[in-house]
Amino acid sequence: MTAFRQGWTLRRRVVALLTVVLVLLLGLATAESLVAATNRQNIDVILIKTGPLRVQGQELMNALLDQETSIRGYAVNGDRKDLAPYEAGLRRERNTVASMRELAGDYPGVLRALTVIEERAAQWRADVAQPVIGATESSGPAAGRELVTDQTRQQFDGIRAAADTLQDEILTVRQQAVERTNRTSNELVVLLIAAALVVAVAGVVLLFFLERMLIRPLAALAGHVRQVADGDYRHHIEASGPPEFRRLAEDIDGMRQKIAQELEEVREARERIEWVNGQLQKQAEELTRSNRDLEQFAYVASHDLQEPLRKVASFCQLLQRRYAGQLDERADQYIAFAVDGAQRMQRLINDLLAFSRIGRLNTGFVEVDLNKVLGDVAAQTEAARQYADAELTWDELPVIRGEEPLLTNLLANLVSNSIKFRRPEVPPRVHVSARLVDGEWEVTCRDNGIGIEPEFADKIFVIFQRLHSRDAYPGTGIGLAIVKKIVEYHGGRVWVDTDAEEGTAIRFTLPALAEADAVPVGRQPDGAAQEGAPEGAAVDGTTGGMKETVG
């Protein structure tokens, strides 16, 4: 016993207790299964045998009654048709008797009662039924009725008595099965109560065992650990109880020693982290101040800086108008340079302001119909398209979420560039289309202009990057940089399709709505109206309902 208390591990002790409980429960379960099988057999007798036997016994009596009634009717009327129930009842009698014999094979009393019914029925047919049928056929109904007497009725009453005896026998068998079922059910309850008692006793023993071998040693160990956790890293941890607890105490004590050794390093690391956090806080404050300075610069650029520029440009224009032709040619040229420089500076400041405000001054994302947006762009670029004899067309475009002013600025920049960078003597043709690719709308702005060399495909989206001189194509070189920033602000990307056969094709993506695949985006042959569309309705190849052509 001493060896048991000192040498056995906690797992071994628990396994031993559970093994005893399991053996007891298995024995009870085996007994319960045997009793349950017997109980099931008794229930089968009640449901599958005695129940159908009672029903078939009644059916057998009904078949005999049909025969007796049919013989009486035939004796009265002499009509051969009245014997049909007799013949049907005879067949039913034979089938029912065969079925009942199969069910009652284990019950001799039922078989004996059934045999009595068969014998009395056969005797009745020989003494009554067959003579009545023969007399009626040979001498008429009067002769048949003379054979139906009180004695024949008493003979059939004997059949009824035998049927009642049969039902009594079946009921006796059923009652015996019910008694056996009740007995086995009680035995099952007793066995279940015994199993519950085994489980309850095992639970009590297990609780006592856990209290002695687990909870008390664990509480003591937890007290030592709590003392160390409170800061006393020099406190030695000891434990009692099973070998597992003693090994655990040794491991925890080893961990305590390592923690004590590394505590200084942790404190030093904490000081370094606090210093880094302080530096990060200073940088965050510096970044906040820098953003405020940028916003102040934007304000100055939009008000204070533009005011002197407007004055310079205005007075230079006054000089140009008043003294044009009065000074020499070089003076006129100088004044023209000054006017052009001031105007270009104003445009550059306005474009820089527009670029810096993207994503900072927002109105919130809403559902935007790109067909309406492109209609607004068509109105904005009407003068430029009229001057260049340009044509702007687009397919049916989707509805996306975004800021409508920024999307209008995006498409206006692309359409304006397509009109500006046109080939000499070739009317510009600009077409905008969209397709759904991997949950995103890919929008393409294609033109027949001068095109872009593949090596410059990325350079054109950098701010102030120009591929042509200002004299050839005016502008500040910031338009496509604004396009890129707007697209990225909406969660998309933009690039140049270097595989375009003619002109330039700039593609960009925008996130699709959840129901985007229900939006019809397609293209019919140019000029083909949608079937059944009313006059003036939208057709593909048009500006969402019209074709913008200015010439």
Side-chain angles (χ1 to χ4, degrees), residues 272-285:
R272 288 195 297 269
I273 291 173
E274 290 176 354
W275 181 83
V276 172
N277 287 336
Q279 296 298 316
L280 290 175
Q281 181 67 26
K282 292 179 181 179
Q283 292 180 3
E285 294 174 356

Side-chain angles (χ1 to χ4, degrees), residues 41 44-59 94-112 114 166 169-170 173-174 180:
Q41 292 175 358
D44 289 343
V45 169
I46 297 172
L47 299 178
I48 300 176
K49 292 186 177 181
T50 60
L53 279 173
R54 286 175 62 84
V55 173
Q56 291 179 2
Q58 188 61 43
E59 290 180 355
R94 293 169 181 168
N95 294 334
T96 304
V97 168
S99 177
M100 291 181 70
R101 284 190 176 277
E102 183 177 353
L103 290 173
D106 297 331
Y107 311 113
V110 175
L111 290 176
R112 286 193 298 270
L114 184 60
L166 174 64
E169 287 291 339
I170 295 174
V173 172
R174 178 183 177 86
R180 290 195 300 271

Side-chain angles (χ1 to χ4, degrees), residues 475-506:
T476 60
I478 202 173
L480 289 180
I482 290 177
V483 166
K484 181 180 180 182
K485 192 169 183 181
I486 292 174
V487 170
E488 291 177 348
Y489 173 68
H490 284 82
R493 52 194 176 87
V494 62
W495 70 95
V496 177
D497 185 358
T498 56
D499 296 330
E501 297 180 356
E502 180 186 26
T504 302
I506 294 182

Side-chain angles (χ1 to χ4, degrees), residues 62-78:
N62 291 337
L64 293 170
L65 287 173
D66 288 345
Q67 296 177 44
E68 195 265 346
T69 304
S70 176
I71 292 299
R72 285 176 177 274
Y74 182 63
V76 172
N77 299 323

